[in-house]
Amino acid sequence: QSPLYETALMYAALAGNLPLVKYLVEDKKADVNSVSYGWDVLKWGKDFDQSKEVADYLRSKGAKPSQYEWGQKQRQPTHFH
């Protein structure tokens, strides 16, 4: 899969903005599995501890986590369960 530029959904997830995330996914049909240079949407929402609710919502819509570690804390992107 070729890399994409960052999406509005990625930034909404990063901000922990659940209403905006829901709007982008449900009304605008944003891709919950989009990737930008190895960073998937779940990564944007979880690696920075922004919102467990956002991560749970994205997962409920079919978002799949990456299989690698990133960031200073070296956590798996799946640390919210």
Side-chain angles (χ1 to χ4, degrees):
Q1 182 178 19
S2 62
L4 303 171
Y5 290 107
E6 292 84 3
T7 66
L9 180 58
M10 292 174 179
Y11 283 104
L14 174 65
N17 188 332
L18 184 58
L20 181 56
V21 167
K22 286 183 175 182
Y23 169 75
L24 292 169
V25 171
E26 295 171 16
D27 294 348
K28 296 300 180 180
K29 308 301 182 213
D31 181 2
V32 297
N33 286 301
S34 59
V35 175
S36 177
Y37 300 100
W39 286 60
D40 58 58
V41 175
L42 275 176
K43 176 76 178 156
W44 284 77
K46 295 184 334 188
D47 194 56
F48 299 102
D49 292 329
Q50 294 300 322
S51 174
K52 180 182 185 314
E53 291 77 22
V54 167
D56 289 344
Y57 172 78
L58 290 169
R59 201 178 283 111
S60 79
K61 295 298 182 179
K64 304 214 180 338
S66 301
Q67 298 299 316
Y68 51 80
E69 294 180 336
W70 278 77
Q72 294 177 343
K73 296 182 183 179
Q74 295 297 305
R75 282 192 305 267
Q76 285 291 335
T78 55
H79 72 277
F80 283 136
H81 292 286

